[in-house]
Amino acid sequence: MLKAGIIGLPNVGKSTLFNALTNSYALAANYPFATIEPNIGIVSVIDERVDYLAKIYNPKKKTYTTFNFIDIAGLVKGASQGEGLGNQFLANIRTSDAIVHVVRAFIDEDIIHVNGVVNPIDDINTINIELKLADMEVINKRLDKIGKRLTLQTPEMIMEINLLNKVLAILNSDKFFDQEMKNFSGEELDILSNYQLLSSKPVIYVFNVLDEQISNLASNPFYDEIIKFTTKNNLEYSFIASKLESELIELSSEERKLYLQEFQITESSLEQVVKKTYAMLGLRTFLTCGSDECRSWTFKAGMNARACSGIIHSDFEKGFIKAEVLSFSDLQAYGSMANAKAQGKLRIEGKDYLMADGDIVLFRFNL
């Protein structure tokens, strides 16, 4: 299962966010390195389309798709050289598929800031520099190893050398490496995948604000600077009041809606973070429905019908015959499966059909 690593400096609200995300109770304390061993939790991706289908089919149960979040120990300056829990921190990031970078954007004298002063942009740069330094060490070791084999260098090695020097140039700049990935060829990306570079992982920046600021973000003293910085660098971001979200854990869905209304919020910022992280991982959703269960399933963009059938059960993929597909938007437009079918919207697709987000599917198979 794909997983997103939650990172940040100590005391920025990582564990509080993790608790709210996973409805668990990881230690959230006001001192550095409260989180030593990473906490792992499974998060449901709330999908209104599943709710819509459930109203039509009244199933015995409804199930949302899930993916993992991992709460990683706080990082400090010098982590790339092993400061704090640096080595452990970096190893846990390396095994993550994406990064949720929590940034403190609130002032509270009762909560320690590891650098003594709250500055969201400086905090982002502190961590990004450490990730870059760790990556540069990996690359330089590889270049040194290849360089010692001058007489044995192949065209593939020469290409790798040129690529790694290209990467080093980016890491030595003020550019965000994950944003530069689009400029690499497929062959280059295949080579780089072997290195699991920390800086190459997609990132969403989650700015943690005070409860009373979430409904009026312009009241946050760092808001203008954050918007300018994220826009300039084309960064994915979200704002969240993790303390508020953690207070919603014990409430029912109806109570939660009423509580959010008090803060003039229509949707939980927590759900926004989950959905943005899900999309950032290149994940999409197909749906199945019936009287037993209405359910959403995760697949990677670009997967075909046969491969997606295997997500439900390997037997489906082995004996795949066809897929009956209806777009969720068509179901909404016509009100029922029968009406959509009468209008010719139900399609029969073969094994090579590329699945689309929101496809409602019935797989036919034969063993």
Side-chain angles (χ1 to χ4, degrees), residues 296-360:
S296 54
W297 304 82
T298 297
F299 70 98
K300 289 283 286 185
M303 287 180 66
N304 62 30
R306 183 175 182 177
C308 284
S309 71
I311 294 172
I312 299 178
H313 198 288
S314 58
D315 286 347
F316 286 24
E317 186 171 7
K318 291 175 184 176
F320 182 93
I321 299 174
K322 62 182 179 181
E324 297 179 9
V325 183
L326 174 68
S327 297
F328 180 79
S329 57
D330 286 334
L331 176 66
Q332 272 191 314
Y334 294 101
S336 72
M337 191 72 74
N339 290 342
K341 185 176 182 179
Q343 295 298 319
K345 298 299 181 179
L346 184 66
R347 313 185 309 273
I348 304 300
E349 302 288 359
K351 63 181 181 180
D352 295 325
Y353 166 70
L354 295 182
M355 296 282 285
D357 185 70
D359 278 348
I360 304 170

Side-chain angles (χ1 to χ4, degrees), residues 9-14 101-108 111 113 117-121 123-124 205-214 216-227 237-242:
L9 293 172
N11 300 334
V12 297
K14 293 186 292 75
H101 185 163
V102 182
V103 184
R104 178 172 171 177
F106 65 87
I107 296 173
D108 186 333
I111 299 179
H113 189 287
V117 61
V118 178
N119 187 319
I121 309 307
D123 291 353
I124 288 174
Y205 294 88
V206 177
F207 296 96
N208 191 12
V209 302
L210 297 176
D211 291 358
E212 59 268 23
Q213 295 171 346
I214 195 66
N216 181 20
L217 291 171
S219 67
N220 182 280
F222 307 107
Y223 179 75
D224 290 341
E225 185 182 13
I226 288 170
I227 295 301
Y237 69 94
S238 188
F239 288 91
I240 192 168
S242 62

